[in-house]
Amino acid sequence: MQKKVSIPQLITISSPICLLLLWEFCSQFEILDPRFFPAPTLILQTLVQMGESGELFNHVTVSLTRIVFGFLLGVIPAICIGLLMGMYRYFRHFFSPIIMIFMPIPTLAMLPIILILFGIGEFSKMITIAISVFFPVAINTAAGVANIDKIYVDVAKNYQANAKDFFFKIALPGSLPVMLEGIQMGQAIALLTIVAAEMIGANSGIGYLIWMNYKAFLLPQMYVGLLLISFFGYFFSLLLRGIERKLLPWK
């Protein structure tokens, strides 16, 4: 039986379409200056042309490679440290002040130190993303473990569960809902960071594409870069929500 589209789903779909139609109307009739706000149809044509030339594929591939590897470099240690902080108070007391010291510092402010330590190659850009992703994931993971219902912890103690069983059967699954929220936040931060990093110190990538076309006043090409960032942000968000539904079917 075919599933019907609900009213909330229709509203969700219609809101960006209405915005694009309004933008198209205002640009075509010069209510908005088309030099600064080119029509969405022109941006779409530019997207197709850049895709056919192969220029777009190179920038997208470079940025996605940096995002994926940088994201993993940040998320994996963040989950491990967050779980340890939530499980053992000595780890929490050790790592909490370090996280509180470095978390308020904008990642891009640390870019000169990152370049000194890791050079100007690809790895430094991945490290930049990893640092920006690390903090929200680590904090949310630790909070997820700390908020596990006490009854599960008591049951584990009564049955004398060892550290391995407690880790994999209580701490990890119990912290998943809050941890996944941190990962969701981390992917958004990763996109923001890579665009800014590529604007400052790169010769390829979506951020570089946006910045160089802005400087050359090629605004349709600039909007193509913004459109790509928006698309990948939405795509990664849907992907993580899908993973969340698989891992947490009761939520």
Side-chain angles (χ1 to χ4, degrees):
M1 186 176 177
Q2 191 174 5
K3 187 178 179 181
K4 293 183 179 180
V5 179
S6 65
I7 293 176
Q9 287 175 324
L10 285 173
I11 295 172
T12 302
I13 295 168
S14 64
S15 61
I17 294 174
C18 290
L19 179 63
L20 288 172
L21 289 174
L22 179 63
W23 183 357
E24 180 76 24
F25 176 83
C26 291
S27 181
Q28 291 288 358
F29 290 93
E30 299 187 1
I31 299 170
L32 293 174
D33 192 331
R35 294 174 300 171
F36 304 118
F37 299 98
T41 49
L42 177 59
I43 296 169
L44 188 60
Q45 290 171 10
T46 307
L47 172 67
V48 173
Q49 291 169 1
M50 294 175 71
E52 290 175 345
S53 69
E55 175 190 2
L56 206 58
F57 179 78
N58 177 56
H59 290 298
V60 169
T61 304
V62 169
S63 286
L64 287 181
T65 302
R66 291 166 180 164
I67 290 168
V68 170
F69 284 101
F71 185 75
L72 292 176
L73 279 172
V75 165
I76 293 172
I79 290 174
C80 295
I81 291 174
L83 288 170
L84 290 171
M85 287 174 63
M87 290 170 60
Y88 305 108
R89 61 176 181 170
Y90 294 114
F91 277 96
R92 184 164 60 252
H93 290 314
F94 179 80
F95 283 108
S96 288
I98 296 174
I99 290 175
M100 291 302 107
I101 288 169
F102 286 101
M103 188 175 67
I105 303 174
T107 307
L108 293 179
M110 299 176 66
L111 193 56
I113 298 173
I114 294 170
L115 293 175
I116 291 170
L117 293 174
F118 301 102
I120 59 173
E122 293 299 306
F123 191 63
S124 63
K125 297 173 183 64
M126 295 176 190
I127 289 293
T128 305
I129 295 170
I131 292 172
S132 66
V133 168
F134 175 84
F135 296 109
V137 177
I139 290 170
N140 276 44
T141 303
V145 177
N147 290 327
I148 292 175
D149 197 327
K150 195 174 183 297
I151 192 170
Y152 297 113
V153 179
D154 292 338
V155 169
K157 288 179 180 178
N158 290 337
Y159 281 93
Q160 297 180 343
N162 57 37
K164 179 183 175 183
D165 288 336
F166 184 82
F167 185 89
F168 286 105
K169 294 182 179 180
I170 294 179
L172 184 58
S175 64
L176 270 178
V178 184
M179 181 201 302
L180 288 171
E181 290 300 323
I183 293 174
Q184 184 77 257
M185 191 187 308
Q187 69 86 15
I189 294 172
L191 285 169
L192 294 172
T193 304
I194 191 59
V195 170
E198 288 174 345
M199 284 181 174
I200 294 171
N203 55 11
S204 61
I206 299 174
Y208 173 81
L209 174 73
I210 293 170
W211 184 244
M212 293 307 295
N213 283 301
Y214 162 74
K215 289 170 67 175
F217 204 70
L218 300 172
L219 295 193
Q221 287 85 338
M222 182 196 77
Y223 277 103
V224 167
L226 295 174
L227 179 64
L228 287 172
I229 289 295
S230 177
F231 168 77
F232 285 119
Y234 190 63
F235 173 76
F236 289 141
S237 180
L238 289 179
L239 181 64
L240 288 171
R241 292 298 179 195
I243 294 171
E244 183 179 9
R245 282 194 294 271
K246 291 289 185 182
L247 294 175
L248 308 171
W250 63 88
K251 188 176 179 184

